[in-house]
Structure formats: structure tokens, C-alpha cells
Amino acid sequence: MAAPMKNVFRVFRACSVYKNIGFGYTYRTRAIAGYIRLISSRKHSFYSKSFHPSWKHGSYIGVGIWSFFTMKKEEVDETDETDEDKDSGDDQKDIEHYVRLAKMAQLKQEFDEADKYYHRALKVANKKFNNEKISKKFSIQARTYIFDGMADMALSRGQFDKAELLYKDTLKGYLETGGGQKDNAMMELTLKLSSLYAMTKKDHEARLGFTTVIDCQEEKVKANPDSDIDTYGLLGIALQTYGRFLLHHDELEKAETVLCRCEEICTHAVGENSAQMLKVLNDIAAAQIIQANYAKAEVTLQKALVISQKTESCDAVYAIYSNLGAISLKLAQLDIAESRCTTALKLARDAKDEFAQKQAKHCLLKVKEARKSSPIK
């Protein structure tokens, strides 16, 4: 007797660029990452947007929530034998083939090609289900996975209405497969939708979604401090995203509180000396700088600088130097500001980050202007 769910979408998961990055392993949503960049407010001159989330694996696209298809043994055992017999490897091959091609095109940002393959996968899945070649459960899971990928792609293309409908279809599909309202996968989808709402200025819905995810995940880790990395990871991402949302809306004290909690979760999930910690500390410093708490911000950024020297992944250290330079400029420490911003500019050039280069140049320009306006002694 076949055990169809044991290897369902093995190929799908292999195509998801599954890497040990960020807070956790499952949550690699480029849609959320794109949102975080968009809400990084340009009105706060000290906030370095070069500190992006850690899902930097070559694409602006979400790779989907493969946890939909990682079924527990009990769920496999409960499956009707007739349904199991339907889900043979041969009947899955065409669906997997088209989804694999779609994912590859999506990662290359060849969106039209990816869309074509997703629709072919849907067509094949529907045909096989109608011909009773695959079970209803497998059919729903396939469509759910495909809808999630299509939603991420629509969001990355700015097709917000389409993305919203697809995410809601994904939520519906997940529940139809027996998923729970508070499952990590469900919370990840809620976070995606919340990010979409924030991008489309539906602030009430966004705020409600962010707090729902955070409250749910906090309950999980409180009930079980030994929760897995995905549970902590999703909580960390939700806290960081919500913290940046609050920064954008000038709720600075609350943003700092949320981001400090994010720092605690990051320490638990991936350790203090991690690339992700650099990003969290930089966000905290941003909140402190905007509130003119320069001494606190200096301490926070110096801590980040020490961590950057211990980590191999420090491609955004120039953000730390830019913000340190901004602090020195505010405190009229012009020589120190010039030194820090010059370092930031050199590192940003090495990283080919144009925006960070502009920030560093702006800092150096302000130093020059400050020197001109200072009285000659």
C-alpha cells in the first residue's frame, strides 16, 4: 500500500531554495521582505534601508509554504486506502514537473513564464482529479501550494488585488486539508496578507494581522519554551516587520519595545552573533536615533559593529557605519562623522549598494556643510 503523503512534493521542496537563513528555516517570504523595504520611511534620514531582512537568496519572490505538504504520520495513517492508491508517483509527475519549472522561472523573475507553468500545473491537477487519478486531498494540497506561489509572484509584481485573492484561496485550501487556525503555516499566510495590507495602506487590517500573528506565536513559545525554530522564527519575523511598520507610522517608543523583543527572540533562535541580529540592532538604533536618544543608539550600533566582526555574513555593515556617522554629525563630532561615513561609502561601493552609497555621500555632504557654517576659530 502506498504512503502518498510521505513523499508528496518532495521535488517542490527541493525547488524552494531551502537554506538556513534568517530567523528560521521555513519562513523565506520575499513578499514580506519586499514590504519591509517599502515601509522603510524616507522621511527619517538616519534610518538605513540597506538593512533588509535576511531572505537574500536571489529573488524577490516567496518560495511558498512547503509545510502545507509535510504531513504527520498520523495524518497519513488516517488517509483512506482508496485515496492512497490514487496518488501514485506517475500521476504526480506532471504536476511536479510544471511546478518545478514554474518555481525555477519565478526565481529568475521570469514571471510570465512562471505564470504559464503554474496554470498548466493547475490544469493537470484538475484533470487528474476529475479522472480520479489523484485524491481530493492531494488535489487541494497541490492547488494550495500553487496558489501560494502565484500569490507571492503577484505581490512582487504589484498586482495587489490578485495577490490578495490568491492568498485568501491559499488560506481556504489549507483549512480544507485539515490545517489548524493557529498553525505556523496559517500564521505565515496571515503575515503575508498583513504585509500586503500595509503596502496598500490598509493600516487597520495590517495592524490587526501583525498583532494576531505575534500574539499567537507568543502563546506558543510561552506554553512551550522548547518550541521549534520555525515557531520562534515566525515570531521574530513578525516582530521585526511590525516594528518597522510602527517606525513608519512614527510610533517610536512602541516600535523600540517591539524590536527589543525581536532581539530577544533572535538571540534565542539563531544566537547573538548572527547576521540577522545586525539587522534587528540596526532597526532598534533607528528608533533610538529618531527619538534623539543618541547615546543609546551609539551603544546599540557599537554592539552591532562588534557582532559584525564575528560573523561571516556582514554585507550590510555599511548601514551601521552610516548610522554611526549620522549620530556623530548630530553631536557635531565632524571628524568622527567624516571617518565613519567614508568607511560606509567604501563598504557600500564594495557591496554595489547604490542607495547606501547615496546615504553615505549625503552624510559626507552634511559634514562639509557643517564645517563651512562653523565659526572660524
Side-chain angles (χ1 to χ4, degrees), residues 261-312:
R261 174 57 177 158
C262 181
E263 181 186 0
E264 294 175 5
I265 295 300
C266 184
T267 301
H268 180 93
V270 293
E272 185 176 77
N273 298 323
S274 65
Q276 184 63 29
M277 182 62 81
L278 298 181
K279 298 166 177 61
V280 176
L281 290 173
N282 195 72
D283 290 339
I284 294 171
Q288 293 166 341
I289 291 172
I290 299 166
Q291 295 177 85
N293 293 328
Y294 302 126
K296 286 177 66 178
E298 175 96 19
V299 171
T300 301
L301 290 170
Q302 289 292 354
K303 180 180 178 180
L305 202 57
V306 170
I307 292 173
S308 74
Q309 295 167 355
K310 298 178 181 178
T311 60
E312 296 179 1

Side-chain angles (χ1 to χ4, degrees), residues 41-49 290 323 326 359 362:
S41 176
R42 292 178 180 269
K43 63 187 173 184
H44 299 313
S45 59
F46 297 123
Y47 182 45
S48 176
K49 287 168 284 300
I290 299 166
N323 283 345
Q359 278 199 317
H362 178 75

